[in-house]
């Protein structure tokens, strides 16, 4: 195929066409709490402790796909591109200093910074980039879809070209996600790393980082702690202040107690009621999160004879009291009008949000022949996204559905167990949450029929052809206004025809000691720890 004229983009100076509409800066507005009990913390610490709810399963970038792991991987592994802490609309240099893109948005050529090094002191080259991205593709773990259909080529020592099978305006944003962190080829290959499913490097990467980021891995204790140390070879643009960073797994109430007592300097997942009662002297950043909490009903008849019925989906959708559910998430939370949250183009307005109609829900349930039949609602019960208790939410949903004659049994399980059933498409009704994989609304097309989340809900590519057409248009169209309209239409169609029911967009409540500066919420990696400073 003949390619179009090449247009050069100097990162940091010109906005990338792939992100031509604003996602919105995520600099939070700080408010002070009003209770007693000022914590007694040292004013100039050399280490920082950050509490958050862990859903971390691995620290191997090519296998990592969990929300809290994004913040950890962001600190250890540089990507080709990134975003500044104040602006999530324009990609800026990371390992690549510039890139060119063809007019048809199918070829992207990246020039590397020839002076960047890994934590072992070796230079980052095109060989490392090609190996890292091909390894992600070849392993075929959950994040592999991010590079589906993309050919990766080395041009010379400092140049890499990515060729897509279709126009891909979202690719620059995709390349900034921590799952696409660049690893040292020599280091990973020496420890079992290959670019296919025979790869054996995960255990090694759970104990030693092989990146070029500002921090290196000291210790990873699953479900408990991740400890990082400043990378002595780091030569990137954002030199970290703290010598050591400790990520610690804690529920929202424990996070509040720790940050008030000075046992943690940052808490990333406070519940709304805990955030509202913080001790005086603790600062609180409240911003709309990019998390969407949702239900889905499985369309696979081998999983359930009931949930594939459109009347059952409609009954559940109409039976829910959405404002009551939102109230469980605390201050700053809103009803999710669609699957695309407010930080992205394509989000729906409140007038598009589903409204409860209990009489209609009862009629749908009767038409579906639910009678005395029971459906199982599954969810993880040991993780609280942005402080929201899924236990409390599930119990409220169960009670509301009962009012419509829909009997639901609750089946909570630890995240480590339930995530496999969820990803395997084995849940009748699933209660889950979703954070964006990258800073472009195309990330939400994953809910579509035949896509990763669609398949978890038993929704195959034949599920709804008009939505499939919108997926193609949204993935390949570059004009900002056209894309906005496409994604709005997609979200409306998903509300009407999909097995997904958006519930809540919680707020992100980040509590921190006033000595910690550089707090900026990011929809993908939550917090850039290298940007944290000391006041």
């Amino acid at each position: 195929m003949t390619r179009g004229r090449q247009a050069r983009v100097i990162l940091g100076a010109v906005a990338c066409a792939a992100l031509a509409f604003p996602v919105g800066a995520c600099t939070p507005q700080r408010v002070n709490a009003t209770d007693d009990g000022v914590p007694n913390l040292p004013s100039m610490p050399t280490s920082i402790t950050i509490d958050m709810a862990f859903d971390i399963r691995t620290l191997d970038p090519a296998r990592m796909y969990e929300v809290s792991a994004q913040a950890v991987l962001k600190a250890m592994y540089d990507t080709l591109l990134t975003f500044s802490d104040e602006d999530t609309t324009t990609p800026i240099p990371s390992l690549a200093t510039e890139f060119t893109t063809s007019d048809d948005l199918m070829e992207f050529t990246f020039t590397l910074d020839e002076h960047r090094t890994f934590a072992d002191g070796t230079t980052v080259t095109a060989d490392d980039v090609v190996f890292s991205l091909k390894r992600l593709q070849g392993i075929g773990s959950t994040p592999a879809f991010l590079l589906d259909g993309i050919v990766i080529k080395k041009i010379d020592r400092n140049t890499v070209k990515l060729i897509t099978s279709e126009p891909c305006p979202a690719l620059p944003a995709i390349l900034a996600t921590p799952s696409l962190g660049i690893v040292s080829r020599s280091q990973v290959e020496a420890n079992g790393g290959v670019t296919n499913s025979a790869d054996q490097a995960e255990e090694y990467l759970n104990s030693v980082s092989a990146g070029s980021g500002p921090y290196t891995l000291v210790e990873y204790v699953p479900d408990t702690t991740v400890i990082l140390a400043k990378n002595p070879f780091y030569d990137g643009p954002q030199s970290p202040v703290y010598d050591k960073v400790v990520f610690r797994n804690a529920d929202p109430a424990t996070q509040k107690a720790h940050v008030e007592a000075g046992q943690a300097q940052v808490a990333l997942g406070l519940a709304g009621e805990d955030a509202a009662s913080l001790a005086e002297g603790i600062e609180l950043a409240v911003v709309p999160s990019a998390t969407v909490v949702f239900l889905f009903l499985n369309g696979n008849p081998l999983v359930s004879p009931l949930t594939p019925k459109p009347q059952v989906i409609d009954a559940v959708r109409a039976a829910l009291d959405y404002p009551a559910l939102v109230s469980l998430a605390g201050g700053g939370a809103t009803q999710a009008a669609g699957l695309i949250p407010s930080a992205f183009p394509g989000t729906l307005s409140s007038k598009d949000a589903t409204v409860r109609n209990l009489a209609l829900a009862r009629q749908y349930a009767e038409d579906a022949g639910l009678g005395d039949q029971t459906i199982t609602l599954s969810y993880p019960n040991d993780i609280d996204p942005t402080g929201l208790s899924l236990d409390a939410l599930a119990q409220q949903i169960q009670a509301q559905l009962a009012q419509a004659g829909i009997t639901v049994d609750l089946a909570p399980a630890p995240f480590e167990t339930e995530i496999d059933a969820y990803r395997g498409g084995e849940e009748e009704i699933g209660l889950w949450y979703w954070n964006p994989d990258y800073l472009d609304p195309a990330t939400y097309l994953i809910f579509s029929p035949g896509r990763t989340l669609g398949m978890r809900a038993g929704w195959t590519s034949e599920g709804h052809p008009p939505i499939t057409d919108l997926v193609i248009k949204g993935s390949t169209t570059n004009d900002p206004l056209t894309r906005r309209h496409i994604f709005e239409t997609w979200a409306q169609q998903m509300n009407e025809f999909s097995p997904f029911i958006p519930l809540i967009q919680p707020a992100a409540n980040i509590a921190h000691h006033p000595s910690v500066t550089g707090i900026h919420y990011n929809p993908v990696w939550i917090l850039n720890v290298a940007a944290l400073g000391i006041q």
Side-chain angles (χ1 to χ4, degrees):
M1 179 180 293
T2 302
R3 302 295 175 187
R5 174 181 52 83
Q6 299 288 313
R8 177 163 297 242
V9 180
I10 305 299
L11 295 176
V14 180
C16 171
L19 298 169
F21 28 59
V23 177
C26 293
T27 302
Q29 179 180 0
R30 294 187 177 88
V31 295
N32 286 323
T34 58
D35 206 348
D36 294 326
V38 180
N40 182 20
L41 293 176
S43 58
M44 294 293 287
T46 58
S47 66
I48 186 169
T49 298
I50 301 171
D51 279 358
M52 61 183 182
F54 276 20
D55 57 359
I56 300 172
R57 303 191 83 201
T58 181
L59 296 182
D60 181 346
R63 291 178 167 90
M64 185 278 297
Y65 201 60
E66 286 71 47
V67 176
S68 58
Q70 301 272 8
V72 179
L73 269 290
K74 172 67 176 172
M76 294 193 294
Y77 293 92
D78 287 324
T79 47
L80 285 174
L81 308 180
T82 190
F83 290 89
S84 76
D85 297 312
E86 293 82 11
D87 179 11
T88 55
T89 66
T90 307
I92 62 172
S94 186
L95 291 177
T97 58
E98 62 181 33
F99 73 92
T100 62
T101 178
S102 60
D103 287 347
D104 60 7
L105 295 174
M106 293 175 64
E107 286 193 358
F108 300 79
T109 304
F110 298 86
T111 302
L112 303 181
D113 182 343
E114 60 187 40
H115 302 295
R116 298 295 296 278
T117 58
F118 288 108
D120 64 359
T122 60
T123 303
V124 180
T125 69
D127 287 329
D128 300 298
V129 174
V130 172
F131 172 80
S132 300
L133 301 185
K134 285 188 173 182
R135 178 172 177 267
L136 181 143
Q137 290 178 319
I139 288 173
S141 192
T142 307
F145 83 95
L146 293 168
L147 295 179
D148 274 353
I150 295 178
V151 176
I152 302 154
K153 292 184 176 181
K154 172 186 173 181
I155 304 303
D156 58 38
R157 176 180 170 84
N158 294 309
T159 310
V160 175
K161 177 177 287 189
L162 274 61
I163 304 170
T164 65
S165 56
E166 298 286 347
C168 189
L171 184 57
I174 292 172
L175 293 170
T177 189
S179 288
L180 276 68
I182 305 305
V183 302
S184 164
R185 176 178 180 174
S186 60
Q187 190 176 349
V188 174
E189 280 188 332
N191 290 277
V194 293
T195 58
N196 56 50
S197 59
D199 179 89
Q200 298 293 322
E202 181 178 12
E203 182 177 355
Y204 173 75
L205 292 172
N206 280 335
S207 60
V208 178
S209 53
S212 60
Y215 285 95
T216 61
L217 180 62
V218 174
E219 183 180 24
Y220 167 41
V221 181
D223 301 321
T224 304
T225 309
V226 178
I227 301 175
L228 308 180
K230 187 186 294 186
N231 177 4
F233 289 99
Y234 180 69
D235 49 7
Q238 198 165 39
S239 182
V241 170
Y242 293 96
D243 294 328
K244 182 171 75 171
V245 177
V246 179
F247 290 96
R248 194 167 52 184
N249 188 17
D251 61 42
T254 303
Q255 290 185 36
K256 178 178 185 290
H258 283 174
V259 77
E260 288 179 334
Q263 296 174 15
Q265 288 71 55
V266 180
L268 292 181
L270 263 63
E273 63 270 21
D274 291 331
S277 61
L278 276 171
E280 184 178 353
I282 301 298
E283 295 194 359
L284 179 66
V286 182
V287 296
S289 76
T291 302
V292 173
V293 182
F294 62 91
L295 283 176
F296 72 84
L297 284 80
N298 204 313
N300 185 348
L302 298 178
V303 174
S304 172
L306 298 174
T307 53
K309 296 181 179 182
Q311 301 99 320
V312 175
I313 299 172
D314 291 339
V316 172
R317 184 179 286 114
L320 296 173
D321 183 346
Y322 296 90
L325 299 180
V326 170
S327 69
L328 297 175
T334 59
Q335 180 180 348
L339 289 169
I340 301 176
S342 58
F344 292 86
T347 187
L348 300 179
S349 68
S350 57
K351 67 180 178 61
D352 295 301
T354 304
V355 178
R356 190 184 205 196
N357 187 329
L358 196 53
L360 187 61
R362 289 170 177 155
Q363 185 62 56
Y364 284 138
E366 183 179 337
D367 293 345
L370 287 181
D372 59 357
Q373 300 189 71
T374 300
I375 308 174
T376 300
L377 170 59
S378 303
Y379 63 95
N381 66 340
D382 60 347
I383 185 165
D384 301 318
T386 63
L388 171 64
S389 168
L390 293 184
D391 261 326
L393 183 60
Q395 292 164 16
Q396 182 75 275
I397 289 170
Q398 181 187 44
Q400 292 177 5
L401 295 182
Q403 295 172 6
I406 305 169
T407 303
V408 169
D409 283 343
L410 302 184
F415 176 88
E416 189 66 25
T417 301
E418 197 58 38
I419 187 68
D420 291 328
Y422 167 52
R423 289 177 174 170
E426 301 168 6
E427 299 174 329
E428 277 194 285
I429 302 181
L431 172 61
W432 283 89
Y433 57 95
W434 186 255
N435 268 49
D437 296 307
Y438 51 90
L439 293 170
D440 186 277
T443 186
Y444 291 93
L445 298 177
I446 196 172
F447 285 90
S448 303
R451 297 296 183 102
T452 303
L453 264 66
M455 292 302 291
R456 291 178 187 176
W459 203 27
T460 64
S461 56
E462 298 81 19
H464 192 72
I467 290 179
T468 301
D469 291 341
L470 289 169
V471 169
I472 296 171
K473 293 176 182 177
S475 300
T476 60
T477 303
N478 192 43
D479 177 71
L481 293 179
T482 302
R483 288 190 91 209
R484 184 185 297 274
H485 175 70
I486 289 170
F487 283 106
E488 287 173 351
T489 304
W490 176 86
Q492 291 165 346
Q493 292 273 305
M494 291 290 289
N495 278 357
E496 186 172 356
F497 298 108
S498 86
F500 294 97
I501 304 173
L503 303 176
I504 303 168
Q505 182 179 345
N509 298 303
I510 303 176
H512 63 98
H513 188 266
S515 66
V516 180
T517 62
I519 299 286
H520 298 279
Y521 171 78
N522 184 282
V524 174
W525 50 78
I526 308 174
L527 190 70
N528 178 12
V529 298
L532 300 180
I534 303 171
Q535 190 171 39

